[in-house]
Amino acid sequence: MGITDLIWPDDRVEHIAKHGVLPYEVEEVCFGDSLVLRGKSTGKNPVYYVLGQTSGGRYLFCVIIGFPDSKGYPVTARPMTRKEEHRFKEWRRP
């Protein structure tokens, strides 16, 4: 993914909180052993879909915009759907 740091404006913290997710959980998923898919984007900055598991065992789906300075902007984060969780577990299978 090439992102080394996430930018946390107050509105993003408030937005993910509506989904019951905390910033540290997003960081665990984004910088851990996660499935990263490049999404379609019309702008110059890539969009990534990140599926991963927190140290607390939660399965999260995150959407991150990558910037050239290696910073990422968390658009949203929420618990995975059953289908997403199944896909993640299949990907992670040895």
Side-chain angles (χ1 to χ4, degrees):
M1 181 166 61
I3 294 173
T4 58
D5 191 30
L6 296 179
I7 302 165
W8 286 107
D10 290 341
D11 69 320
R12 295 298 87 202
V13 174
E14 292 168 9
H15 177 79
I16 67 167
K18 292 177 183 175
H19 297 289
V21 179
L22 297 171
Y24 83 88
E25 293 178 301
V26 175
E27 298 211 5
E28 282 183 0
V29 166
C30 288
F31 303 124
D33 184 25
S34 298
L35 173 59
V36 179
L37 305 169
R38 185 149 178 182
K40 293 180 184 178
S41 63
T42 57
K44 63 181 179 177
N45 297 316
V47 174
Y48 299 101
Y49 303 129
V50 185
L51 292 87
Q53 187 175 17
T54 68
S55 60
R58 296 184 69 197
Y59 292 95
L60 299 181
F61 172 85
C62 307
V63 179
I64 309 293
I65 297 173
F67 294 116
D69 64 357
S70 298
K71 294 196 184 293
Y73 179 80
V75 176
T76 193
R78 58 166 173 73
M80 286 185 204
T81 63
R82 284 187 204 174
K83 186 175 180 180
E84 291 163 346
E85 187 175 330
H86 177 75
R87 182 174 187 184
F88 174 72
K89 288 178 179 177
E90 286 293 315
W91 169 80
R92 196 170 64 176
R93 230 185 210 172

